Amino acid sequence: MIRSTLAATALLFAASPVLAQSQQEVLDARYDRALAAGYKALMLCGAIAHAEANGTSRTPESVEAWELTGIQEPQAAIIADLPYTIVRRPTGQIAHVAVDWAEGMPPRLAAYYGADTGCSVLPIGAPEAATNADQPVPRPAPPPQPVRGTVIAKAGQGSAAQGRPAPEVPAVGKVQKAALAGSYGEGSRTTAVLVSRPSANGGRRSSAFFAPGFDAKTPQRTWSVAKSLAATLVGAAVQAGEANVADPIGLNYWRAGGASDPRGAITLDHALRMATGRYSDTPGNRTDALYFGGSTVDETGLNWPVLHPPGTVFRYANNDTLLAIKAIGQWLTFYPPQEFFAKLGMAHTVAETDIRGEYVLSSQVWSTAQDLARLGELYLNDGKLPSGERVLPEGWVQYVTVPSGPQPEGPFGYGAGFWLMNRSEGVPPDTFAAFGNRGQYVVIVPSRQVVIVRRGEDPVGSRFDIAAFTRDVLAALPPE
């Protein structure tokens, strides 16, 4: 077991005296601690377990320095002082991570259920007996890693992760290094940048650069890039003949209300376009109770009331993506996410679930830069694999990139599960992208046959300028 060295007194509230707080303030402070503990348990579990499954490593100190700093309040002020324990199986594989948060309560737990579904955070108050842990044993320290420079450069020819060597593109490399150095956003923290483009021999060439401690096998949480993966899974279901985006979702417990339940009019298309008309309790619909509290998709994401006619209002909401995946999950006999990722060659991508096995595909996916480049290349190839097998319907690229629904304010439009960069000066108007919290980007430029991946752990309040970075990368590439 690995134990943090923080004093147990960190469990005591250090804010104003309880007597000076209202009952609601005390309750909220306790809930904030519970969420912070769940956040810490899940991030430690996911970052370390997925890295080890890929044959690389992350230390707790690395996770604390990257994933657990710069996060939103009030968790940011709490999370560093919460003691944790990493419990391993006799094989050395992580069993679970436990984070202490309140006297008289069991620690918050995130259990690792294997390479197919990764880590799940357990409900608040779950005992350690609820995890899949065997008798824990100490794990030997990992072998020392070679000292790396500030930038690691790797280049490949063919698909972005096939690993065949090719010469680096110097001008593009300078732009990528500038991103690692923080040139595209004050305070931004870039961990990986990858550019995949056509090569002279008709294949593909890629160059990738990584921050110290990260490499081609290091997965990071995709955050909302998972929404674009979810839209891709919906496309695969349509191609398999098991879904139609125009069909009403019609969850079983909505049908019980008959025609009187207006949610029966919500379609898959509405859900993919963030236009279901349902209520979302916070801007962006953070769904903290699901992500870090141990709630489930059914409990958190599905049963909000309708406030607007479906298809009339854009409201970016995790719950809409969760609804879309729940819908195809109730219809499908086709392969689960892990099998689909394997088909695409995304061998280091894992979609995690809640404790009931429902996929949290609005955010909770871990992937590498190379795997995300493969996602982009699938769209460049009109939904076909390099073998020629079609896994997305003909015309699916056009479907996800047409802003046919209500649109968000701001510099970017929205299609169906993808953001549109059709308003960005100097960027081709056919450019679309997957965006995720803390600076996760997969930019797809069909007219240039280019995919740009940027991974980061940007602090709250900073923003990576993806439009400027995309513009500079494209300008650095040789003309067609």
Side-chain angles (χ1 to χ4, degrees), residues 74-87:
Q75 283 77 34
I78 301 168
I79 205 162
D81 293 333
L82 297 177
Y84 63 88
T85 305
I86 298 176
V87 179

Side-chain angles (χ1 to χ4, degrees), residues 167-182:
E168 179 189 334
V169 182
V172 172
K174 291 178 181 178
V175 177
Q176 291 174 275
K177 290 180 181 181
L180 281 174

Side-chain angles (χ1 to χ4, degrees), residues 127-168:
E128 293 200 23
T131 74
N132 63 338
D134 292 328
Q135 183 67 31
V137 297
R139 180 176 174 81
Q145 298 296 308
V147 177
R148 302 182 187 273
T150 57
V151 175
I152 304 166
K154 295 182 181 296
Q157 186 177 356
S159 180
Q162 287 177 344
R164 294 195 296 268
E168 179 189 334

Side-chain angles (χ1 to χ4, degrees), residues 24-263:
Q24 186 62 46
E25 287 172 333
V26 173
L27 182 64
D28 289 344
R30 188 176 180 87
Y31 183 57
D32 290 341
R33 288 182 68 81
L35 287 182
Y39 192 116
K40 189 168 190 172
L42 189 60
M43 287 298 179
L44 284 167
C45 182
I48 296 172
H50 291 307
E52 291 175 353
N54 288 353
T56 186
S57 65
R58 293 287 305 279
T59 65
E61 293 76 18
S62 169
V63 180
E64 290 181 299
W66 288 95
E67 282 88 348
L68 297 178
T69 60
I71 66 174
Q72 72 271 7
E73 296 291 352
Q75 283 77 34
I78 301 168
I79 205 162
D81 293 333
L82 297 177
Y84 63 88
T85 305
I86 298 176
V87 179
R88 294 184 179 271
R89 294 172 172 271
T91 59
Q93 184 185 67
I94 282 184
H96 68 261
V97 177
V99 177
D100 296 326
W101 64 284
E103 291 187 7
M105 289 292 288
R108 294 301 314 278
L109 301 172
Y112 180 60
Y113 293 104
D116 284 349
T117 58
C119 297
S120 297
V121 64
L122 274 62
I124 294 170
E128 293 200 23
T131 74
N132 63 338
D134 292 328
Q135 183 67 31
V137 297
R139 180 176 174 81
Q145 298 296 308
V147 177
R148 302 182 187 273
T150 57
V151 175
I152 304 166
K154 295 182 181 296
Q157 186 177 356
S159 180
Q162 287 177 344
R164 294 195 296 268
E168 179 189 334
V169 182
V172 172
K174 291 178 181 178
V175 177
Q176 291 174 275
K177 290 180 181 181
L180 281 174
S183 296
Y184 290 92
E186 185 176 355
S188 64
R189 302 192 305 172
T190 299
T191 56
V193 280
L194 183 150
V195 177
S196 170
R197 69 179 185 92
S199 63
N201 64 4
R204 295 197 65 80
R205 170 185 298 174
S206 68
S207 59
F209 293 81
F210 302 91
F214 294 82
D215 59 29
K217 293 183 178 180
T218 305
Q220 291 177 259
R221 183 169 170 138
T222 63
W223 295 97
S224 288
V225 166
K227 293 178 173 66
S228 301
L229 289 166
T232 305
L233 283 162
V234 172
V238 173
Q239 173 65 17
E242 300 195 15
N244 186 322
V245 295
D247 287 345
I249 288 175
L251 298 180
N252 289 332
Y253 31 85
W254 292 357
R255 294 194 189 101
S260 62
D261 192 330
R263 292 172 298 185

Side-chain angles (χ1 to χ4, degrees), residues 97 145 170 199 222 231 256 279 304-305 329 336 350 384 399 427 437 445 448:
V97 177
Q145 298 296 308
S199 63
T222 63
Y279 177 65
W304 293 98
V350 179
K384 292 186 290 186
Y399 167 71
V427 175
N437 186 36
V445 192
R448 297 288 300 274

